Amino acid sequence: MSAGTYTPRPGAAPLPRMIAAQTALETRMLLRNGEQLLLTVIIPTLLLVLFSAVDIVDTGSGASVDFLAPGILALAVMSTAFTGQAIATGFERRYGVLKRLGASPLPRWALMTAKTLSVLVTEVLQIVLLTVIAFALGWSPHGNPLAVLLLLVLGTAAFSGLGLLMAGTLKAEATLAAANLVFLLLLVGGGVIVPLDKFPDAVQSVLGLLPVSALSEGLRDVLQHGASMPWAQAGILTVWAVLGLGAAAKFFRWE
């Protein structure tokens, strides 16, 4: 045994390894949380199965699942990137977890990167599960997969920015109440289950500017109607992403 074999080598791990480790931790914590699973998996799945099997809402011509599946995918993105992330980050901030992590060798921007990657991993699992269920219900999507991917990325960025903004500026209890309230309101009025044309003309144009409306309608244009790229909805999501992430970066408080 040579001298110095067990000599300590203090110092931080390489940055990519730290981000990967934090991403894995964030994902495990999210998937172990019962409330998070309810928001991210159970509610979207139940809504997809229930409204596809029972003729509760008039979704127009064609199979109900063809209308519902894109909206439920948008809901899944919102539940993870906005509601779940806002609540989890808000309570981490309250209990001082973010402050302690911010003092670790992991840079603050890398911590937020890990949180974003965790959201993306969870969304992939959600989308795979919901897609399998939708196919079992008779879904027949078509359209440009790259357009779908772009819309999902823009939607994730938009909702992540809004979720982090809420978590970084409000108290944890207020974030919990506000995030759940927004989730319910957007579920009803965001074109997820109820078509926007069922609402009064005076509010349709306003509802269409909401991020979940832009995401659900954009996905529906591609997957149901075969559009190449819904630029209007992509533009709305881009604006929300820039405003949300910019405001979160400026106003987020770590303690």
Side-chain angles (χ1 to χ4, degrees):
M1 184 183 298
S2 61
T5 300
Y6 298 107
T7 302
R9 297 180 60 188
L15 187 58
R17 188 186 303 173
M18 288 194 291
I19 294 176
Q22 187 65 31
T23 299
L25 175 62
E26 297 280 348
T27 304
R28 288 196 300 270
M29 291 172 59
L30 190 152
L31 295 177
R32 290 174 181 173
N33 188 305
E35 181 182 350
Q36 299 283 50
L37 285 177
L38 179 67
L39 282 170
T40 59
V41 177
I42 298 175
I43 290 179
T45 300
L46 288 177
L47 290 173
L48 177 60
V49 174
L50 175 63
F51 283 90
S52 296
V54 182
D55 191 13
I56 301 175
V57 178
D58 181 11
T59 57
S61 60
S64 297
V65 69
D66 289 336
F67 174 87
L68 291 168
I72 296 298
L73 292 178
L75 180 69
V77 172
M78 180 178 72
S79 68
T80 300
F82 172 71
T83 313
Q85 184 169 220
I87 294 172
T89 306
F91 279 95
E92 286 177 355
R93 175 171 162 255
R94 175 189 176 182
Y95 294 130
V97 175
L98 292 183
K99 181 180 179 181
R100 289 179 174 84
L101 287 174
S104 71
L106 183 68
R108 291 184 174 184
W109 68 264
L111 173 60
M112 290 306 176
T113 299
K115 285 184 172 293
T116 301
L117 291 175
S118 173
V119 167
L120 292 174
V121 170
T122 305
E123 286 181 358
V124 169
L125 298 176
Q126 287 177 288
I127 291 170
V128 170
L129 174 63
L130 292 171
T131 300
V132 170
I133 294 173
F135 275 128
L137 293 170
W139 187 32
S140 55
H142 49 275
N144 185 358
L146 293 179
V148 173
L149 179 61
L150 177 60
L151 289 170
L152 291 174
V153 170
L154 290 174
T156 299
F159 285 120
S160 290
L162 296 173
L164 291 173
L165 175 63
M166 181 178 290
T169 55
L170 301 179
K171 292 183 177 180
E173 293 81 3
T175 298
L176 175 63
N180 282 314
L181 177 60
V182 170
F183 177 84
L184 292 174
L185 292 176
L186 294 183
L187 169 62
V188 175
V192 173
I193 294 174
V194 181
L196 291 181
D197 58 17
K198 301 298 181 183
F199 292 91
D201 294 339
V203 299
Q204 283 185 32
S205 57
V206 176
L207 294 178
L209 296 176
L210 297 173
V212 71
S213 301
L215 182 55
S216 58
E217 289 298 309
L219 291 174
R220 201 166 284 127
D221 283 347
V222 176
L223 295 172
Q224 185 179 10
H225 305 300
S228 58
M229 184 65 209
W231 293 109
Q233 284 77 17
I236 293 172
L237 290 172
T238 300
V239 171
W240 277 106
V242 171
L243 293 177
L245 292 172
K250 182 175 182 179
F251 298 110
F252 192 93
R253 299 196 303 269
W254 288 77
E255 51 182 282

